[in-house]
Amino acid sequence: MSSELTSDSIKGFDEDLPVTHHNDVYSTIDPEPLYAAQSFSGKVVLVTGASRGIGRETALHYARAGASVAIVARTGDALDETRDIIVAAVPGADVLVLVADVRDVESVRGAVEGVLRHFGKLDILIANAGAITLFTPMLNKKDPNAWWNTFEVNIRGVFNSVSVALPALEKTQGYIVAITSLGGQLRVPGGSDGCISKHAVNRLVEFVALEHPSVRTFALAPGYLPTRIAAETGTLGSNGEGAAGVALNTLALPAATMLYLTSGRADWLSGRFCSANWDMAEVERDWKDLIVQKGGLLNKLYIPLP
């Protein structure tokens, strides 16, 4: 990780909710009661970017809670591995493997049509597929095509997935979770493609909630994770910590948070940004009224009063 990535060099690092922060699953979002009750039985969940990392862990969480899952990525072999892991952990799980590239709307359309043919409906979309380049200055350092590919995956891919899935999700009054990033609220040296594209994802979620209020839609930042993409892009330190020394999360934390968000317990957050690190009980107890009244957790200009 670049030595420039410190809490001083990252702009907006201190802009956060003053609630307890977690790096692993905690009581409010504990999925075990959902597993025991099979709370998502009868639900159909589509997860993009499911070949590894957050997507794989999330698909496994939903299967354990009783859902049927469709897993999507570009690499069939890796998806088969995800399916095998799920079926080994949840014997009898209904897992549909679909190879698709989220950058191609017709490829996504084919995947969604495959879900509807196989399962007959769609209840939850997890738009997780993401990309980012090595953290380097944008001028003279980043390959412009690689820089733009980040937008193709992060914003076009989310738009394609959401727009194609919306008719089915409106029929079930379902849920969308678009994986964003804390970086979407920050200005991180060398991270222009990731930060800008994820900022756009946050605004896209606001528009989906505005135009399709029957579908509850969230922008979820999963926090710093020990994923392959983090290692490849230089956002992990030599000791394995995240940027600016921030502690890493378990993959289970964002996955369990998604179960919480799509369980009906946090519908008031629809159309807003939230972080998997935040203690959701404290967010609701201490901040819900102010967030709702003042339009908080939305992208907007902030002008400090004198």
Side-chain angles (χ1 to χ4, degrees):
M1 181 178 65
S2 171
S3 60
E4 296 178 355
L5 295 185
T6 66
S7 56
D8 291 330
S9 65
I10 298 174
K11 304 305 179 184
F13 201 77
D14 58 343
E15 298 170 12
D16 205 351
L17 271 183
V19 296
T20 300
H21 281 49
H22 299 277
N23 301 109
D24 200 356
V25 174
Y26 55 98
S27 59
T28 301
I29 63 165
D30 183 2
E32 291 297 336
L34 301 179
Y35 297 165
Q38 292 289 278
S39 298
F40 286 85
S41 178
K43 300 295 184 182
V44 177
V45 183
L46 170 61
V47 183
T48 70
S51 59
R52 62 177 191 257
I54 303 170
R56 175 177 287 179
E57 187 72 18
T58 300
L60 177 58
H61 270 60
Y62 277 107
R64 282 177 167 157
S68 300
V69 293
I71 52 176
V72 175
R74 291 181 297 162
T75 309
D77 290 346
L79 284 175
D80 290 341
E81 184 178 318
T82 296
R83 178 198 57 209
D84 292 346
I85 289 171
I86 293 172
V87 172
V90 189
D94 195 350
V95 184
L96 177 65
V97 172
L98 295 161
V99 177
D101 186 340
V102 296
R103 297 171 298 182
D104 180 350
V105 68
E106 293 308 318
S107 184
V108 175
R109 194 183 314 281
V112 172
E113 289 174 351
V115 171
L116 297 178
R117 280 195 303 270
H118 186 83
F119 296 115
K121 65 169 185 169
L122 177 62
D123 297 284
I124 299 169
L125 168 66
I126 307 297
N128 166 68
I132 193 173
T133 61
L134 181 68
F135 270 44
T136 55
M138 77 174 86
L139 297 181
N140 303 320
K141 295 290 186 180
K142 285 190 185 288
D143 176 352
N145 291 323
W147 190 89
W148 187 247
N149 179 67
T150 300
F151 289 80
E152 290 282 298
V153 177
N154 289 358
I155 185 63
R156 186 176 187 175
V158 173
F159 174 79
N160 286 344
S161 302
V162 168
S163 62
V164 170
L166 267 170
L169 290 169
E170 286 193 312
K171 289 180 181 179
T172 58
Q173 296 189 4
Y175 288 87
I176 297 169
V177 180
I179 296 299
T180 182
S181 168
L182 181 60
Q185 307 291 9
L186 305 177
R187 284 78 69 203
V188 183
S192 57
D193 54 327
C195 292
I196 297 169
S197 60
K198 291 300 190 180
H199 191 77
V201 168
N202 299 342
R203 182 66 90 189
L204 175 60
V205 163
E206 295 172 21
F207 268 92
V208 175
L210 177 69
E211 297 178 356
H212 303 273
S214 67
V215 178
R216 281 62 57 89
T217 307
F218 311 94
L220 177 68
Y224 288 108
L225 298 161
T227 58
R228 191 175 83 183
I229 193 171
E232 291 174 347
T233 55
T235 56
L236 295 180
S238 58
N239 294 323
E241 78 281 1
V246 175
L248 293 176
N249 294 341
T250 64
L251 289 171
L253 177 64
T257 303
M258 282 185 257
L259 263 67
Y260 171 83
L261 290 173
T262 58
S263 69
R265 299 168 63 190
D267 288 358
W268 68 274
L269 277 169
S270 181
R272 304 179 191 276
F273 169 91
C274 55
S275 169
N277 294 115
W278 295 342
D279 186 297
M280 289 299 176
E282 292 182 18
V283 172
E284 180 164 2
R285 182 191 69 210
D286 301 334
W287 291 93
K288 176 181 177 179
D289 290 345
L290 188 61
I291 288 169
V292 172
Q293 291 169 10
K294 299 293 185 180
L297 305 183
L298 304 172
N299 288 352
K300 61 176 65 179
L301 289 177
Y302 170 71
I303 302 174
L305 298 176

